Amino acid sequence: MFCIRACSGLVGCRTATRVRSLHSLPGITVAQIDEEVAKLLQLKAQLGGDDGKHQFVLKTAKGTRDYNPKQMAIREKVFNTIIGCFKRHGAETIDTPVFELKETLTGKYGEDSKLIYDLKDQGGELLSLRYDLTVPFARYLAMNKITNIKRYHIAKVYRRDNPAMTRGRYREFYQCDFDIAGQYDAMIPDAECLKIVHEILSELDLGDFRIKVNDRRILDGMFAVCGVPDDKFRTICSTVDKLDKLPWEEVKKEMVNEKGLSEEAADQIGEYVSMQGGMDLAERLLQDQKMSQSKQACAGLSDIKLLFSYLQLFQVTDKVVFDLSLARGLDYYTGIIYEAVLTQAGVAPVTTDAQNGAPSEESVSVGSVAGGGRYDGLVGMFDPKGRKVPCVGVSIGIERVFSIMEQKAEASAEKVRTTEVQVMVASAQKNLLEEKLKLITELWNAGIKAEVMYKKNPKLLSQLQHCEESGIPLVAILGEQELKDGVVKLRVVATREEVQLIHNTHTVSLITVSTKV
Amino acid sequence: MQIDEEVAKLLQLKAQLGGDDGKHQFVLKTAKGTRDYNPKQMAIREKVFNTIIGCFKRHGAETIDTPVFELKETLTGKYGEDSKLIYDLKDQGGELLSLRYDLTVPFARYLAMNKITNIKRYHIAKVYRRDNPAMTRGRYREFYQCDFDIAGQYDAMIPDAECLKIVHEILSELDLGDFRIKVNDRRILDGMFAVCGVPDDKFRTICSTVDKLDKLPWEEVKKEMVNEKGLSEEAADQIGEYVSMQGGMDLAERLLQDQKMSQSKQACAGLSDIKLLFSYLQLFQVTDKASAEKVRTTEVQVMVASAQKNLLEEKLKLITELWNAGIKAEVMYKKNPKLLSQLQHCEESGIPLVAILGEQELKDGVVKLRVVATREEVQLIHNTHTVSLLAHGRMT
C-alpha cells in the first residue's frame, strides 16, 4: 500500500508539471499529447513494476516501425524481383541469428561500434544485435571452413542511430547483400556483382541510375603521390567521401583546416577527384606522370580496365562510371568499390551525417541505392590460422527502394492489393451459408484463393462492396433459383459480366481457368 | 567440443578484458541456442514457407511485420511466469527494450495502435526466449513462429472453423504423415471443473495439471491434483471420467444431455458451439481426415479446337488472345485436324477444357467452351468477354 501511494504520488507530481507545461504550449497537437501520454505511461510502468493489468503502450520502439499489409505487398514484390535476379545468377542463401556474441562484432566497425545494440547481461553470454550482414558472413565462412560460395542474404540489421524518420532513417532496417567469396581470376566476380546491380535497378524500374566505380588502391596511390602522409590516408579518405554531399571548397577546407593537409596536396587531390570516365580514364591515368609512380594505383587502374572490358561483354557500361571522387567509408575494402545512385530527384533524399573522421558505414548519399566492393582481408580476421578468403559483394539499399515504391504506389491510381483472393463466394439470399461453405471448400481444394463472409446471412451488396474494396476480381453468386437449377453465377466484379456455370466439378475447372491458377 | 567451448569462453573473457582489441578475435560460435541456416536448410525452409503462405493467401489473409524488439513494458505482464525468459536489451540511455517473445502481443499492440477492428493476417517471423535450450530436442532460443489470426466480431464459429481448415490444409500439403487436430473449449473445461466440484479459485491450476495428460498417465495427473493441488479425490475421479472422452459432434450432443454437465450454462454454451463448429468442419471436409483427398494446384490448360476444316487462322487468333492473357493453351499443329483427334488429345494429356470453334459459332460470334470430362458446355460470346472471363482473376 505504502509503496503504491508513493509511486502514484511521484507520477502525479510529474504528471501535474508536465500537463501544466503542455497546456501552456500554444497549438499543441494531438500527436504531441499522445507522445507525452505514452511517455508518462512508460514511466508509470517502470515505477509500478510487473503490474500485469492493461498496460498497452501504443508505440513501437524509437527508430522502428510496423509494416502494414500494403507495405508488405510492396515489399514482397521488391524481394521477388531481387531474389529472382540473385537466383538467376546462381546464388544460394543463408540465414544467421539476429544477435551474435558481442566479441564477434567487437573491433569490426571502428567508430560506429558505439551504434551497436547490446543485449542486457542476464547471466549468460554477452550478446549484441547484428550491425550488418557482412561480419556474420565472414564468421559463417570461417566457422564452416568455406572457401567458395556465392550467397545472398536478406535480413534486418540494427543500429542505434539518431533516426531522422522523416528522412527514412531507421534503427531497424533491411539489408540485402550479395557476395561472392573465393579465389578466382581477377575481376570476373567483381564484374558480375555490377551486372547484378544493373539488372536489379533496371527491373525495379526506379528511373535512371549510375554506378560509380573506384578502387581503394587507386585512392591510396593517389593520396601517396599527392603527398598525403600515410597515417592520414583513412581520415583524408573520409573527407573525400563527403564530396557527394558537399562542394569541393568545403571538402578542401576540411582537409586543410581540420585534417592538417597542405594546401598543395589538397589541390592536387582536387584535380584528380574531379575526374570521371570509363576505360579511357583508366588508360589516361596509367600514363599520368604522377599517378603512374604509384605501383598500387597502377594495379588498381589495370583492374579497372579489365573490369570495364568485362562490363562491356555484360552490356552494362552505359550506366557505369569510373569516378575518382568515390571513397566509401568502410575500413575493410581492399580493392574495387562502387556505389549506385538514382539520377532522378523527386523523392525525399536519404542523407547521412558522416561523423568527422569516422569511416561511416555505407554512407548513403542523396539518391544512393546500393554500394559495395572487394574486401579480401575480413574473413582472415576470423580464421584462427588467418586463412584469407577473398570476397566481393554488394548491399542493396532496400529501405530506400521500399520508400520509392511506396511513393510511386501512392501517386499512381492503381490500388495495391493486400490479399490475392481471386474469387469471393457470395449469396443472393438468406440461409445459403452451408452451400457457400461447400463451394468454397471445392475452390480451396483446387488451389483457388477464395473468401467467404463470416456471416450467416450477409447482404449481397455488402459482399460486392467487400470485393471492390479488396480488389477481388471474381464473385461466385449462389442463389436459390440457381441452386435448384444446379448452376452458379460467376461475375466479373469490375464489369458485371456474368457467366452461368453448371455447378458440379465443372464449376471448379472453369473457375480455375478463369483464375489461371 | 568441450575444449572448443572452453577456448571460446576464455577468448571471450580475454576480449572483455582487452576491450576494443580489434585484431584477430577468433570467436567461431553462434550465440547459445541459436544457429545459422545453411543453403540446404534454406532451400527446405523456402519450400515449407511457400506451402504455408500459399495456404494463408488462398484463405485471403494479408500479412504484417513488426520490429524484433518492443518497448519493454509492452511485453511486461503478458507472459506470467515465462516473463523471466524474455531477452532484455541493455539500457544504453534510451528506451528500455526487449526482444519479442511471441507474435501475438505485437499483434494486439498493432491492432490497438492502428484502431483496427477487423483483419485476417498471418505473420511469420523469429521470436526469442531465454530457454534452457535442449538442442538435441530441437529447442532453440531463436526460432520461427508462424501465426495466423482472424480478428473481429463475426457470426459464431465460422472463423474458428476456417482456422482449423487451414491447419488441416497445411499439414496435409506438407505431407508430414497422419495427424489429428484436438479440439476443446475453455468454457467446457471450466464448466466441467465446476460441476465436478472444483473450487473457482483452483480452476486455472487444475487446468495446468489436466494439461499434463499429454505427457503423463492419468494416475500421476490425479495424484498431482489431489496431493499437490488439494483437490478432493471424488472431484478428481469425476474429472477423470470426463477427460477420457473423445469424439465428434456426437460427443458434444451426448454431453449436452449429460445430467451433470448440463447443469453448467457455460459448458452448454461451449458444447453448442462445438456442435456448430463440427457442422462447419463437415462442410469444409475436415472432420474425417481420410476424406480430405485434395486436388493439388494444377497447370490448367485450354485446348483450342475446331469442328470443321479451314479454321486454323481463327484458332490461331483465339489462342494468341489466350496466351496474351497468360492462359496456358494448345492447338494442334495441323491445318485440318478431326475434332475427335483433338478431343482425344485432351483426354490423353489431361487438358480439362476445350474451346471449340465452328462455322456457325463464328457467324454467331460465340465460342463453345466444353468440359472435356463431362461434355457439358457453355457458350461464350467471343469478344473481349471470352478472354476476360477466362483470364480474369490473374494477379498482374
Side-chain angles (χ1 to χ4, degrees):
Chain A
M1 268 305 259
F2 175 81
C3 182
I4 293 172
R5 259 209 302 275
C7 286
S8 48
L10 198 67
V11 173
C13 224
R14 294 179 68 155
T15 311
T17 317
R18 285 267 182 107
V19 168
R20 266 202 297 277
S21 67
L22 282 177
H23 276 178
S24 69
L25 281 176
I28 182 110
T29 65
V30 170
Q32 281 171 300
I33 294 174
D34 282 354
E35 230 198 293
E36 281 306 309
V37 168
K39 280 193 202 149
L40 288 168
L41 285 173
Q42 191 166 349
L43 178 65
K44 174 176 165 194
Q46 284 166 32
L47 296 170
D50 208 75
D51 194 313
K53 291 288 170 256
H54 306 275
Q55 281 312 6
F56 257 126
V57 182
L58 298 183
K59 269 180 86 223
T60 49
K62 184 177 181 187
T64 69
R65 55 160 173 158
D66 298 318
Y67 283 80
N68 65 38
K70 268 205 173 68
Q71 294 168 316
M72 290 299 282
I74 290 173
R75 191 171 106 176
E76 187 178 335
K77 270 174 96 168
V78 173
F79 281 163
N80 283 344
T81 299
I82 292 176
I83 293 174
C85 178
F86 291 153
K87 287 183 168 179
R88 194 158 54 240
H89 286 257
E92 344 179 74
T93 185
I94 66 168
D95 198 10
T96 65
V98 82
F99 46 68
E100 298 273 345
L101 295 174
K102 186 173 163 67
E103 64 198 292
T104 298
L105 305 186
T106 302
K108 306 295 183 309
Y109 303 105
E111 279 201 25
D112 283 351
S113 296
K114 63 183 187 289
L115 298 181
I116 296 176
Y117 275 100
D118 291 326
L119 266 68
K120 182 174 168 181
D121 184 350
Q122 288 171 292
E125 301 161 319
L126 291 186
L127 308 167
S128 300
L129 296 184
R130 65 186 170 213
Y131 187 84
D132 66 4
L133 300 178
T134 308
V135 168
F137 177 49
R139 179 204 37 79
Y140 176 84
L141 293 181
M143 204 163 133
N144 296 282
K145 297 186 178 15
I146 292 171
T147 55
N148 295 71
I149 187 172
K150 185 162 37 178
R151 82 98 184 73
Y152 69 90
H153 187 186
I154 300 180
K156 291 184 190 165
V157 299
Y158 301 85
R159 302 181 185 180
R160 286 183 63 245
D161 251 328
N162 268 327
M165 303 260 263
T166 45
R167 298 191 302 181
R169 259 288 263 266
Y170 294 99
R171 288 180 161 186
E172 172 191 65
F173 59 95
Y174 265 103
Q175 274 203 332
C176 177
D177 284 18
F178 172 88
D179 294 82
I180 300 171
Q183 184 64 50
Y184 300 111
D185 286 351
M187 304 316 279
I188 311 178
D190 310 52
E192 186 168 16
C193 284
L194 291 175
K195 171 67 175 166
I196 282 168
V197 174
H198 192 286
E199 277 184 19
I200 289 175
L201 294 183
S202 304
E203 267 188 71
L204 287 175
D205 214 18
L206 301 163
D208 197 24
F209 61 91
R210 285 292 171 273
I211 305 174
K212 298 193 257 185
V213 162
N214 199 355
D215 193 295
R216 191 33 85 72
R217 296 162 292 173
I218 297 174
L219 276 166
D220 285 354
M222 172 178 82
F223 292 148
V225 304
C226 290
V228 177
D230 280 16
D231 60 356
K232 286 204 204 282
F233 273 16
R234 293 282 67 81
T235 184
I236 292 298
C237 204
S238 317
T239 307
V240 168
D241 195 22
K242 300 185 183 188
L243 273 172
D244 56 4
K245 287 181 292 289
L246 302 174
W248 169 246
E249 295 69 41
E250 291 200 43
V251 171
K252 173 178 172 180
K253 215 187 281 185
E254 180 175 312
M255 280 193 209
V256 173
N257 298 347
E258 291 178 46
K259 308 278 171 103
L261 204 60
S262 77
E263 217 178 305
E264 193 190 351
D267 282 333
Q268 287 182 44
I269 293 177
E271 274 191 52
Y272 282 122
V273 299
S274 60
M275 295 184 188
Q276 290 183 8
M279 201 192 290
D280 56 304
L281 175 58
E283 192 50 68
R284 243 189 308 139
L285 287 169
L286 274 165
Q287 311 299 327
D288 181 276
Q289 218 188 17
K290 206 155 55 195
M291 192 68 99
S292 53
Q293 289 170 41
S294 161
K295 265 201 186 138
Q296 213 182 13
C298 289
L301 288 164
S302 301
D303 274 349
I304 291 280
K305 280 182 66 182
L306 186 54
L307 176 75
F308 269 88
S309 70
Y310 292 140
L311 294 180
Q312 253 160 23
L313 298 169
F314 282 153
Q315 295 168 17
V316 299
T317 47
D318 59 328
K319 308 254 203 256
V320 182
V321 179
F322 173 26
D323 185 332
L324 278 159
S325 71
L326 178 66
R328 294 188 58 69
L330 276 169
D331 260 353
Y332 52 60
Y333 289 126
T334 54
I336 185 182
I337 53 178
Y338 39 81
E339 184 174 288
V341 292
L342 298 179
T343 56
Q344 275 147 8
V347 284
V350 178
T351 58
T352 185
D353 306 295
Q355 286 98 4
N356 263 350
S360 66
E361 153 69 62
E362 313 291 343
S363 301
V364 175
S365 58
V366 176
S368 171
V369 285
R374 174 163 284 285
Y375 52 104
D376 288 346
L378 186 62
V379 179
M381 283 176 73
F382 283 93
D383 188 281
K385 296 212 173 82
R387 269 183 295 238
K388 277 178 55 162
V389 176
C391 296
V392 65
V394 64
S395 190
I396 312 280
I398 201 132
E399 294 287 343
R400 179 115 172 76
V401 172
F402 289 158
S403 228
I404 294 172
M405 305 291 267
E406 276 175 53
Q407 289 186 359
K408 272 173 82 171
E410 210 60 35
S412 90
E414 222 182 298
K415 217 171 101 111
V416 173
R417 285 196 66 186
T418 58
T419 67
E420 294 178 13
V421 176
Q422 297 159 310
V423 181
M424 177 76 184
V425 176
S427 48
Q429 291 97 24
K430 292 188 172 189
N431 301 318
L432 290 172
L433 179 61
E434 190 175 308
E435 295 300 324
K436 288 197 293 185
L437 296 186
K438 279 191 196 158
L439 176 59
I440 204 174
T441 302
E442 289 177 53
L443 298 181
W444 285 334
N445 285 351
I448 295 169
K449 302 176 198 162
E451 269 198 300
V452 70
M453 261 186 155
Y454 296 133
K455 230 169 142 60
K456 283 187 291 211
N457 298 307
K459 299 220 185 311
L460 181 58
L461 192 61
S462 326
Q463 296 167 87
L464 295 174
Q465 257 169 358
H466 175 72
C467 291
E468 308 221 12
E469 281 158 24
S470 301
I472 302 173
L474 291 173
V475 54
I477 309 176
L478 296 174
E480 280 166 12
Q481 190 54 49
E482 287 86 0
L483 279 171
K484 290 205 186 84
D485 299 341
V487 299
V488 173
K489 262 197 310 212
L490 187 64
R491 181 197 286 197
V492 175
V493 174
T495 64
R496 307 226 178 158
E497 302 180 58
E498 279 184 6
V499 177
Q500 284 221 352
L501 304 171
I502 299 164
H503 184 190
N504 220 325
T505 43
H506 319 174
T507 321
V508 173
S509 323
L510 280 162
I511 295 179
T512 308
V513 174
S514 307
T515 58
K516 206 208 72 78
V517 168
Chain B
M1 209 155 51
Q2 277 172 308
I3 294 176
D4 282 354
E5 239 197 274
E6 278 308 309
V7 168
K9 281 193 199 147
L10 288 168
L11 286 173
Q12 191 166 349
L13 180 62
K14 172 180 163 190
Q16 285 165 32
L17 296 169
D20 208 76
D21 194 311
K23 291 289 169 258
H24 307 272
Q25 292 299 19
F26 312 127
V27 182
L28 295 184
K29 271 179 88 230
T30 49
K32 183 177 180 188
T34 70
R35 55 159 174 160
D36 298 320
Y37 283 80
N38 65 38
K40 268 205 175 72
Q41 294 169 315
M42 291 299 283
I44 291 172
R45 191 170 103 177
E46 188 179 333
K47 270 176 92 170
V48 174
F49 281 165
N50 283 344
T51 298
I52 292 176
I53 292 173
C55 178
F56 290 155
K57 285 182 169 181
R58 193 157 57 241
H59 287 258
E62 343 179 80
T63 185
I64 66 168
D65 198 9
T66 65
V68 81
F69 46 69
E70 298 273 346
L71 295 174
K72 184 174 164 67
E73 62 199 294
T74 298
L75 305 186
T76 303
K78 307 294 181 311
Y79 302 106
E81 277 200 25
D82 284 350
S83 296
K84 63 184 187 291
L85 299 180
I86 296 176
Y87 275 100
D88 289 327
L89 266 67
K90 182 173 168 185
D91 183 350
Q92 287 169 295
E95 302 161 318
L96 292 186
L97 308 168
S98 301
L99 297 184
R100 63 185 172 213
Y101 186 83
D102 66 7
L103 300 179
T104 308
V105 168
F107 178 47
R109 180 204 39 78
Y110 176 85
L111 293 181
M113 206 163 130
N114 296 282
K115 297 185 177 18
I116 292 170
T117 55
N118 295 70
I119 188 172
K120 183 161 44 179
R121 82 97 184 74
Y122 68 92
H123 188 187
I124 300 180
K126 291 183 188 164
V127 299
Y128 301 86
R129 302 185 184 181
R130 288 182 63 245
D131 251 325
N132 269 329
M135 304 261 261
T136 45
R137 296 191 305 181
R139 264 279 269 264
Y140 292 99
R141 288 181 163 185
E142 172 191 65
F143 59 95
Y144 265 103
Q145 274 203 331
C146 178
D147 284 19
F148 173 88
D149 295 85
I150 302 171
Q153 182 65 47
Y154 301 110
D155 286 352
M157 302 318 277
I158 312 177
D160 310 55
E162 187 166 17
C163 283
L164 292 176
K165 171 67 174 168
I166 283 169
V167 173
H168 193 286
E169 278 180 20
I170 288 175
L171 295 183
S172 303
E173 268 188 72
L174 289 175
D175 217 14
L176 303 163
D178 196 23
F179 63 89
R180 285 293 173 270
I181 304 172
K182 298 194 249 183
V183 167
N184 198 353
D185 192 295
R186 191 32 86 75
R187 297 163 289 173
I188 297 173
L189 277 164
D190 285 354
M192 170 178 82
F193 292 149
V195 303
C196 290
V198 177
D200 280 19
D201 60 354
K202 288 205 204 283
F203 275 17
R204 293 283 68 81
T205 183
I206 293 297
C207 208
S208 322
T209 308
V210 168
D211 197 23
K212 300 186 183 184
L213 275 171
D214 58 0
K215 288 184 288 287
L216 302 173
W218 169 245
E219 295 70 41
E220 291 201 40
V221 170
K222 174 179 170 179
K223 215 187 283 183
E224 181 175 310
M225 279 193 211
V226 174
N227 297 349
E228 292 178 42
K229 309 274 170 111
L231 205 60
S232 76
E233 214 175 308
E234 193 190 353
D237 283 333
Q238 289 181 44
I239 292 176
E241 275 190 55
Y242 283 124
V243 299
S244 59
M245 295 185 187
Q246 287 185 10
M249 200 191 294
D250 56 305
L251 174 59
E253 191 50 66
R254 241 188 310 140
L255 288 169
L256 275 166
Q257 312 298 326
D258 181 274
Q259 213 188 24
K260 204 157 51 191
M261 191 70 97
S262 54
Q263 290 169 38
S264 161
K265 263 199 190 150
Q266 214 181 11
C268 289
L271 289 163
S272 300
D273 274 350
I274 290 282
K275 280 182 66 183
L276 185 54
L277 177 76
F278 269 86
S279 72
Y280 293 142
L281 293 179
Q282 256 161 21
L283 297 169
F284 283 154
Q285 296 170 22
V286 299
T287 47
D288 173 7
K289 168 80 186 47
S291 74
E293 211 58 70
K294 211 165 50 64
V295 173
R296 298 290 204 163
T297 301
T298 55
E299 305 260 350
V300 178
Q301 289 165 314
V302 178
M303 179 74 183
V304 176
S306 46
Q308 292 98 23
K309 291 188 173 189
N310 300 317
L311 291 173
L312 180 59
E313 192 177 308
E314 294 301 323
K315 287 197 292 185
L316 296 185
K317 278 189 199 165
L318 176 59
I319 204 174
T320 303
E321 288 177 55
L322 299 182
W323 284 336
N324 284 349
I327 295 169
K328 292 190 170 83
E330 273 197 305
V331 68
M332 260 187 154
Y333 296 134
K334 230 170 142 62
K335 279 191 290 213
N336 298 310
K338 301 221 186 314
L339 181 58
L340 192 60
S341 329
Q342 295 168 91
L343 294 175
Q344 257 169 357
H345 174 72
C346 290
E347 308 219 16
E348 283 156 21
S349 305
I351 301 172
L353 292 173
V354 53
I356 308 176
L357 295 174
E359 282 168 11
Q360 190 54 48
E361 287 85 0
L362 278 170
K363 288 206 186 82
D364 299 338
V366 299
V367 173
K368 264 200 306 214
L369 190 63
R370 179 196 288 196
V371 176
V372 173
T374 64
R375 308 224 177 159
E376 313 215 29
E377 285 180 359
V378 178
Q379 282 219 354
L380 301 171
I381 299 166
H382 183 195
N383 219 325
T384 44
H385 306 188
T386 320
V387 175
S388 63
L389 275 162
L390 285 171
H392 234 97
R394 262 178 323 117
M395 297 300 296
T396 47

Coordinates of all heavy atoms in Angstrom, one line a residue, chain B residues 46 93 102 107-108 123 134 159 183 187 205 223 228 234 260 301 308 330 350 388 394:
Chain B
E46 N 12.4 -22.6 -47.6 CA 11.7 -21.8 -48.6 C 10.5 -22.6 -49.1 O 9.4 -22.1 -49.2 CB 12.6 -21.5 -49.8 CG 12.0 -20.6 -50.8 CD 12.9 -20.2 -51.9 OE1 14.1 -20.2 -51.7 OE2 12.3 -19.9 -53.0
G93 N 20.8 4.1 -22.4 CA 20.5 5.5 -22.3 C 19.2 5.9 -23.0 O 18.8 7.1 -22.9
D102 N 6.7 -13.5 -28.6 CA 5.8 -14.2 -29.5 C 5.3 -13.2 -30.5 O 5.8 -12.1 -30.5 CB 4.7 -14.9 -28.7 CG 3.7 -13.9 -28.1 OD1 3.9 -12.7 -28.3 OD2 2.8 -14.3 -27.3
F107 N 0.9 -8.3 -32.2 CA -0.3 -8.2 -33.0 C -1.4 -7.4 -32.3 O -2.0 -6.5 -32.9 CB -0.9 -9.6 -33.3 CG -2.1 -9.7 -34.1 CD1 -2.3 -8.9 -35.2 CD2 -3.2 -10.5 -33.7 CE1 -3.5 -9.0 -36.0 CE2 -4.4 -10.6 -34.5 CZ -4.5 -9.8 -35.6
A108 N -1.5 -7.7 -31.0 CA -2.5 -6.9 -30.2 C -2.2 -5.5 -30.2 O -3.0 -4.6 -30.3 CB -2.6 -7.5 -28.8
H123 N 1.6 -13.9 -40.0 CA 2.9 -13.3 -39.6 C 3.9 -14.4 -39.4 O 3.7 -15.2 -38.5 CB 2.7 -12.4 -38.4 CG 3.9 -11.6 -38.0 ND1 4.0 -10.8 -36.9 CD2 5.1 -11.3 -38.7 CE1 5.1 -10.1 -36.9 NE2 5.8 -10.4 -37.9
A134 N 17.5 -27.3 -25.3 CA 17.9 -28.7 -25.4 C 17.9 -29.0 -26.9 O 17.0 -29.4 -27.5 CB 16.8 -29.6 -24.7
P159 N -15.2 -18.2 -38.4 CA -13.7 -18.0 -38.5 C -12.9 -19.1 -37.7 O -11.9 -19.5 -38.2 CB -13.5 -16.6 -37.9 CG -14.7 -16.2 -37.3 CD -15.8 -17.0 -37.8
V183 N -9.7 -30.7 -30.3 CA -10.4 -29.5 -30.1 C -11.1 -29.6 -28.8 O -11.6 -30.6 -28.3 CB -11.5 -29.4 -31.2 CG1 -12.5 -28.3 -30.9 CG2 -10.8 -29.0 -32.5
R187 N -14.7 -22.9 -22.0 CA -15.9 -22.8 -21.3 C -16.4 -24.2 -20.8 O -16.9 -24.5 -19.7 CB -17.1 -22.2 -22.1 CG -16.8 -20.7 -22.4 CD -17.6 -20.3 -23.6 NE -17.2 -20.9 -24.8 CZ -17.9 -20.7 -26.0 NH1 -19.0 -20.0 -26.0 NH2 -17.5 -21.3 -27.1
T205 N -5.3 -23.6 -11.9 CA -4.2 -24.5 -11.5 C -4.5 -26.0 -11.8 O -3.7 -26.7 -12.3 CB -3.8 -24.3 -10.0 OG1 -2.7 -25.1 -9.8 CG2 -4.9 -24.6 -9.1
K223 N -2.8 -37.8 -9.0 CA -2.0 -37.7 -7.8 C -1.7 -36.2 -7.6 O -1.8 -35.7 -6.5 CB -0.7 -38.5 -7.9 CG -0.2 -39.1 -6.6 CD 1.1 -39.8 -6.8 CE 1.0 -41.1 -7.5 NZ 2.4 -41.8 -7.5
E228 N -1.0 -32.4 -4.5 CA -0.3 -31.1 -4.6 C -1.3 -29.9 -4.7 O -1.1 -28.8 -4.2 CB 0.6 -31.0 -5.8 CG 1.8 -31.9 -5.7 CD 2.7 -31.8 -7.0 OE1 2.9 -30.7 -7.5 OE2 3.2 -32.9 -7.4
E234 N -12.8 -37.4 -4.9 CA -14.0 -37.5 -5.6 C -14.1 -36.6 -6.8 O -14.4 -37.1 -7.9 CB -15.2 -37.2 -4.7 CG -16.5 -37.6 -5.2 CD -17.7 -37.1 -4.4 OE1 -17.4 -36.5 -3.3 OE2 -18.9 -37.2 -4.8
K260 N -25.0 -34.2 -15.3 CA -24.1 -33.3 -14.5 C -23.7 -32.1 -15.4 O -23.8 -30.9 -15.0 CB -22.9 -34.1 -14.0 CG -22.3 -33.5 -12.8 CD -21.5 -34.5 -12.0 CE -20.5 -35.2 -12.8 NZ -19.9 -36.4 -12.1
Q301 N -5.1 -26.1 -68.6 CA -4.9 -25.6 -70.0 C -6.2 -25.7 -70.8 O -7.2 -26.4 -70.4 CB -3.9 -26.5 -70.7 CG -2.5 -26.3 -70.2 CD -1.6 -27.4 -70.7 OE1 -1.9 -28.5 -70.5 NE2 -0.4 -27.0 -71.2
Q308 N -14.8 -27.9 -87.8 CA -14.7 -28.1 -89.3 C -13.4 -27.8 -89.8 O -12.5 -27.4 -89.1 CB -15.8 -27.3 -90.0 CG -17.2 -27.7 -89.7 CD -17.8 -26.8 -88.6 OE1 -17.4 -25.7 -88.4 NE2 -18.9 -27.3 -88.0
E330 N -3.2 -24.8 -76.0 CA -2.6 -25.6 -77.0 C -3.5 -25.6 -78.2 O -4.7 -25.5 -78.1 CB -2.4 -27.0 -76.5 CG -1.2 -27.3 -75.8 CD -0.9 -28.8 -75.8 OE1 -1.8 -29.6 -75.3 OE2 0.2 -29.2 -76.2
G350 N -4.8 -34.9 -70.3 CA -5.4 -34.3 -69.1 C -5.8 -32.9 -69.2 O -5.9 -32.2 -68.2
S388 N -11.6 -12.1 -71.1 CA -11.7 -11.6 -69.8 C -12.3 -12.5 -68.8 O -11.8 -12.7 -67.7 CB -12.4 -10.2 -69.7 OG -13.7 -10.4 -70.1
R394 N -6.4 -13.1 -62.6 CA -5.0 -13.3 -62.6 C -4.4 -12.1 -61.8 O -4.8 -11.0 -61.8 CB -4.4 -13.2 -64.0 CG -4.1 -14.6 -64.5 CD -3.5 -14.5 -66.0 NE -4.2 -13.4 -66.7 CZ -3.5 -12.4 -67.2 NH1 -2.3 -12.2 -67.0 NH2 -4.1 -11.5 -67.9

